[in-house]
Each structure stands twice: as C-alpha cells, then as structure tokens.
Amino acid sequence: MKSTHDNPILVTGAAGDLGAIGRNLTAMLLAKGHQVRALVRREDERAEALRQLGAEVVQGDLTDLDSMHRAIAGVRRIYFGMSVSPAYLEATVNTATVARHHGVEAFVNMSQMTVTQMSITETTDSPQYKLHWLAEQALAWSGLSVVTVRPTVFLESFFLRLAAAGIRDNNELALPLGHSKTSPISAVDVAHAIAVILADPVLHIGQVYNLTGFESADLDHYARIFSKALDRTIRYRDVPLSAWAETLRKFGVPTHLVNHLAVMAELHAQGRYDRTTDDLFKLTGKMPTSMYDFVKLHAAEFTRSQVAA
C-alpha cells in the first residue's frame, strides 16, 4: 500500500455527535501526522473546528454520488461510519461503489456487535441492525479490502446522553436495560482502535474486531460505580420500555432511531450484550476505559451544581 502520509485518509461522519468517533478519529490521525479529509453534512462551527485541527473539510452527503466522488478522489484509506438512519444501506453501497472506482486500498467499516449474532436466518426487530448486516454482506461482495469493527453499546450514548439528566436531577441511573450484564465501551477507545488500523491496515484486512468495554456487569453494579465516582448515592431504576420510548418520541427523536434504541434495550435485558473480548487491547495495547474513569471524566454533566455554574 502507498504511504498514507502521501494521501489523505477519508473520515466520514467527522462532525457527528453520537459517540463522536469521527471527530476523535480525525484528531488522533492528525496528531500522528496523517492528512485527513473530513466529510461533513453541513458547514457549521463543527466543520470549522475540524479545519482548525488541520483537516481538509469536504461538505457532502453519503448517499449523493457527486459528493462521494469529491470526497474519495485521491484517497487510499477510508473510515466509514454513519449515524442510525433509514438510508444507512444506501449510503454504505454508494460509498463502497465510489471507493472501488477510485481504487481505495483499505475500507474500515463501523458496524455493531449484535451483527455477530445475526445470519441469513437470524435477525432482530430493529431495521437498523438488519441494515448493518446487509451492509456487511454488500461490502464482502464489493471486492474492497475491508476491515470490520463491531463495538458494543457506547458509554457516551446510553450512559451519558440518555442517562445524565436522571443522574443529575434525581440521582437515578434510569434506563430500560433490565438486570442482565452489559459491557459498554467508550467511543474514544473505539476511535483509538480505528486509528491504529488506518495507520497500517495491511495486517487487518479481512478481520472483524468485536470491541467491548472494561467489564461486563449489571446496572446495579454500574450505579454503585457512579455513586463512588460522584461521591453520592446513585440507584439504578429499570424504566418501563414503552414509557421510555414514548419520552424519546416527545423529545423529537426520529422513529427509526427510537425503534432501534428500543430493540437495543430489549437485547440488553436478554443478556445479548454480556460479552467481553480482548480485541481492543490487542489493537491498541491499552485496556478499555472503565466506567469509573468515564464518570469521573464527565462528572460535571452528572452533577447539578456544576452544570448550573
């Protein structure tokens, strides 16, 4: 493969919020001296922040052919990630088709761990999971040199974005995840693993990496960790799934995303996320971020007085 320092690495979803993998990955690659072309949906302050880091910013849409030609021309390595969307499969195939046309040599695909448990006869009730599975099939047929990354649930999504208000205001870790175990991982750790792959992808081509967190434990255990990290008592409350989903809809969360999150919650309750691997350590040489360290890092967002200040 050609040196990645001679060609930019394309990072899709570079300005995204959920998990912030693209944004973290962009910063990590730039810090290591790589050129990065960051694909963003719109020109805004987040795009400008990427420019300030040193990225070449390209505005475009993953489902738009012209956009992807502008983004991929001259690129040899791609990180493909997209937020939960009904257009996910179309975006994957569109990007892969243009990548093959331009001779891309490494395509790192962000998938989801639940796909590991899916097959031609086994799926879930989430349309998004099926789109991820179909996208993996299409990439396998594409002829591209693909590396697949399948993380478990992100600490930043369920345990920060969806739980921070309850912890801050009511000292409750209120989530509809039942009492089974789960192994959440930080999106920063996932970005670190992808940065390692993209820096020298040869040995990783064709591999599937299942990335899990520091430990697999139930929500009562994690509530105790929150209590220790925040120095106040936090209790887990298993919220009824239907009421939780309805609250998300009232806040304007798109139906496709609500349905996906609801299935994730059901699978958590069934123990489908009770898994641990050492794939992250093998890739990075570092242990996953622990829940305690994650809570400490984001303590201000879990604490009312500090947020008000």
Side-chain angles (χ1 to χ4, degrees), residues 257-275:
L257 177 54
V258 172
N259 292 342
H260 177 61
L261 292 173
V263 172
M264 288 185 72
E266 290 175 342
L267 296 179
H268 267 89
Q270 296 169 16
R272 293 276 289 274
Y273 285 83
D274 181 14
R275 297 188 60 200

Side-chain angles (χ1 to χ4, degrees), residues 244-296:
W244 182 78
E246 185 58 33
T247 298
L248 293 179
R249 291 188 183 93
K250 288 180 180 177
F251 278 102
V253 177
T255 298
H256 182 82
L257 177 54
V258 172
N259 292 342
H260 177 61
L261 292 173
V263 172
M264 288 185 72
E266 290 175 342
L267 296 179
H268 267 89
Q270 296 169 16
R272 293 276 289 274
Y273 285 83
D274 181 14
R275 297 188 60 200
T276 55
T277 74
D278 61 356
D279 285 4
L280 181 72
F281 183 80
K282 288 179 178 178
L283 284 167
T284 68
K286 296 183 179 180
M287 293 296 292
T289 301
S290 68
M291 181 68 80
Y292 180 85
D293 289 341
F294 179 80
V295 176
K296 277 293 191 183

Side-chain angles (χ1 to χ4, degrees), residues 171-214:
N171 292 322
E172 284 188 339
L173 177 57
L175 290 168
L177 302 184
H179 296 279
S180 293
K181 295 179 178 180
T182 184
S183 57
I185 191 169
S186 170
V188 177
D189 290 339
V190 176
H192 187 191
I194 296 167
V196 169
I197 295 169
L198 285 168
D200 188 11
V202 176
L203 295 178
H204 305 288
I205 298 300
Q207 298 297 312
V208 176
Y209 293 106
N210 294 295
L211 304 182
T212 62
F214 180 78

